[in-house]
Amino acid sequence: MGQFIDLQAADGLSIPAYLARPSAQARRAVVVVQEIFGVNRHIREVADGYAAAGYLAIAPATFHRVQTGVELGYTEADMKQGMALKAAVEALPAPGVLQDLQAAVDFAARESGGKVGIVGYCWGGLLAWRAASKLKGLSAAVPYYGGGMTQAQEVASKPQVPVMAHLSDNDAHVPMEGVAVLQKAHPEVIVHIYPARHGFNCDHRAAYHAEAARLARERTLDFLARHLG
């Protein structure tokens, strides 16, 4: 359904992104933010799914600043490589990868002519949480099991747009005690907790939980429809 295009970040760097368009003219858009496995088959399928629901969907390659063409699977070796790439991106001087997400938001707004939301998974969930307080032009944010988003420096963020978070009750990356802190600090954030593991939305992983994924998508589409029009 989609194709890769190039975005231009504020510092002039060209960033690849997977673009999926709906069959009819898009009136709203969503930026899909990858896990630590790159813009792989799963993330492209997620973007295609949002396009099928009527959104212009774009998934920027958020590893591109440290390594090009990353597309990983889910083995232990892939996990190790993905974590190292994530660490390298996180170590970039500000604004780092956020300028690439901003380029995706700006492109999505121009191409759709409508409001833009952001949905992220795993590391992408953390980036979606940061985007809610730091990026311009967003109207909603949906982090899925954003690893690290309950750490003190992340909880201190002040979202400027409505946020819905999909978390699970068996996730070492987003422990329940941290979720309680997040909920206390941000009562305005809608938090859904599922009886599942980290990565439950990905049907390419052993952690996939079909019912949790279905319900989270249903809730996300309803949330985006309310805030993006």
Side-chain angles (χ1 to χ4, degrees), residues 16-214:
Y18 180 76
L19 173 65
R21 296 182 183 273
S23 56
Q25 174 61 42
R27 301 299 180 193
R28 52 196 178 186
V30 62
V31 175
V32 177
V33 193
Q34 65 171 70
E35 301 172 296
I36 61 168
F37 308 104
V39 183
N40 62 5
R41 178 181 169 188
H42 170 60
I43 292 300
R44 296 194 300 271
E45 289 172 352
V46 168
D48 289 343
Y50 280 109
Y55 292 83
L56 181 144
I58 186 162
T62 50
F63 280 155
H64 186 72
R65 287 181 178 270
V66 297
Q67 185 171 317
T68 62
V70 177
E71 182 171 347
L72 302 176
Y74 303 100
T75 67
E76 287 189 19
D78 291 323
M79 181 77 72
K80 184 177 180 180
Q81 183 179 352
M83 291 296 289
L85 289 167
K86 172 194 169 185
V89 173
E90 292 282 312
L92 293 171
V97 73
L98 286 176
Q99 61 191 310
D100 306 333
L101 297 182
Q102 185 67 67
V105 171
D106 294 344
F107 175 89
R110 289 194 306 269
E111 287 293 305
S112 69
K115 294 181 179 179
V116 181
I118 189 167
V119 180
Y121 304 84
C122 181
W123 176 47
L126 173 60
L127 293 176
W129 171 250
R130 291 174 180 168
S133 63
K134 297 180 181 297
L135 298 192
K136 298 178 181 179
L138 281 176
S139 294
V142 183
Y144 276 69
Y145 35 84
M149 65 180 284
T150 59
Q151 294 180 0
Q153 70 271 25
E154 305 296 347
V155 172
S157 295
K158 299 184 184 301
Q160 302 301 304
V161 298
V163 177
M164 173 184 283
H166 299 298
L167 308 173
S168 61
D169 63 3
N170 185 16
D171 189 344
H173 302 286
V174 193
M176 288 303 295
E177 57 267 29
V179 174
V181 172
L182 177 73
Q183 289 178 296
K184 183 177 181 180
H186 294 283
E188 77 283 4
V189 173
I190 300 169
V191 176
H192 294 295
I193 300 173
Y194 303 84
R197 291 187 288 160
H198 184 86
F200 67 79
N201 183 70
C202 180
D203 58 1
H204 294 258
R205 301 173 68 172
Y208 177 60
H209 191 294
E211 177 57 20
R214 182 201 64 78

